[in-house]
Structure formats: C-alpha cells, structure tokens
Amino acid sequence: MSVQEAPARGPQSSVELYQQVQQFYARQMQLLDSGEVDAWAHTFTEDGVFATNAQPEPTVGRQAMAAGARKAVEYYTAQGIQRRHMLGTVSVTGQEGTTVTVRSYVLLIETPRGGQATILCSATCEDVLELGPDGPAVRQRDVSRDDLV
C-alpha cells in the first residue's frame, strides 16, 4: 500500500488516517515551497476553496489557486527569498464518510538569499479533506493569521 492509497481491507484506523494526513501535508507544503504550483493546486479538489483573513475574498478552484501561487513564487524568487511553510500540531478533528476535518498550526518562514531566516507569521489552518482513491484533497481551507485577528 502506498501512502497515498486508502487500504483495500475496509475503514482506516485512526493511526492509518493520521499517517495519511501527515504525509499529505508534508507533500503539499513541499510542493508549494519548491515552486511546483500546478502539482500543489492538484492537492485541492477541482472546486476547492482557499480562504484567509489576509485576503478580502477566498480563492476558488484549482486554476485560480495555481495562478495566485505562481505569481507569489515568481515574486519571491525574483526577490531572492525562499519561503517555507512549517505545518505542525496536526489534529484530525472529525471524520464522516470520506470527509475529514483537520486543524493545524502553520509558521511561514522567509529566508533571503545569504540572510537570516525570519518567521513572517503564524496561523491556524482548518481544512476539510476529501479522501479519494489518489489520497486526500483539500475541499475547503480556512487560514487565520494570528497577527490579523
């Protein structure tokens, strides 16, 4: 069984589900931080929603998410800044059928080329994941930056 596949023997145990969710987030954050925006956008459902208190309106759909992420990656690359999303304290807070709710904390770290890493912000991330044959995909993400609350 690959980490991205649901086991064929029946419902997942809480340990299996937690491991699958952790692996999903590790892959998702690394895709974004390495600039693989199309692959990152495909970690959302086709009609996925990304809402944050840092933006007036949510971003809806893979194409819009990829476009926004691409613009950000290009900007930070041109500025010589490496961004890292450190997601932790992951808690699976509920499951109903193939839908899983997850809460986590995120630190966004920026490192200028040749410079010192700094924490740009901390946030709470609340996701609704859809479990499918290819693994989890984010249906809804709500990010609340602590400095903007």
Side-chain angles (χ1 to χ4, degrees):
M1 174 180 84
S2 91
V3 175
Q4 293 298 319
E5 297 172 351
R9 65 182 181 278
Q12 291 178 289
S13 75
S14 60
V15 171
E16 289 171 319
L17 176 60
Y18 189 75
Q19 289 173 334
Q20 185 180 27
V21 167
Q22 285 277 52
Q23 181 63 30
F24 169 75
Y25 283 128
R27 179 176 170 271
Q28 186 186 50
M29 296 302 138
Q30 290 175 20
L31 287 170
L32 181 59
D33 291 343
S34 66
E36 298 178 57
V37 295
D38 291 323
W40 173 80
H42 275 84
T43 64
F44 289 81
T45 61
E46 185 67 39
D47 59 348
V49 176
F50 186 107
T52 174
N53 62 344
Q55 300 293 326
E57 297 293 325
T59 304
V60 180
R62 284 182 186 155
Q63 287 186 330
M65 284 186 228
R70 186 172 292 104
K71 185 177 177 182
V73 166
E74 289 170 356
Y75 172 81
Y76 289 107
T77 298
Q79 299 299 312
I81 296 171
Q82 176 63 60
R83 295 181 113 196
R84 300 280 187 222
H85 293 78
M86 305 300 295
L87 189 138
T89 63
V90 176
S91 177
V92 175
T93 57
Q95 180 177 11
E96 186 173 320
T98 61
T99 301
V100 178
T101 54
V102 182
R103 187 170 199 269
S104 60
Y105 294 152
V106 180
L107 293 177
L108 179 54
I109 300 168
E110 290 187 349
T111 307
R113 190 173 299 119
Q116 179 69 37
T118 59
I119 296 174
L120 176 67
C121 67
S122 64
T124 300
C125 181
E126 307 227 11
D127 281 351
V128 176
L129 304 179
E130 186 66 38
L131 301 178
D134 297 326
V138 179
R139 183 188 316 156
Q140 171 82 33
R141 172 164 291 164
D142 292 299
V143 177
S144 179
R145 284 182 43 173
D146 297 334
D147 59 328
L148 301 178
V149 174

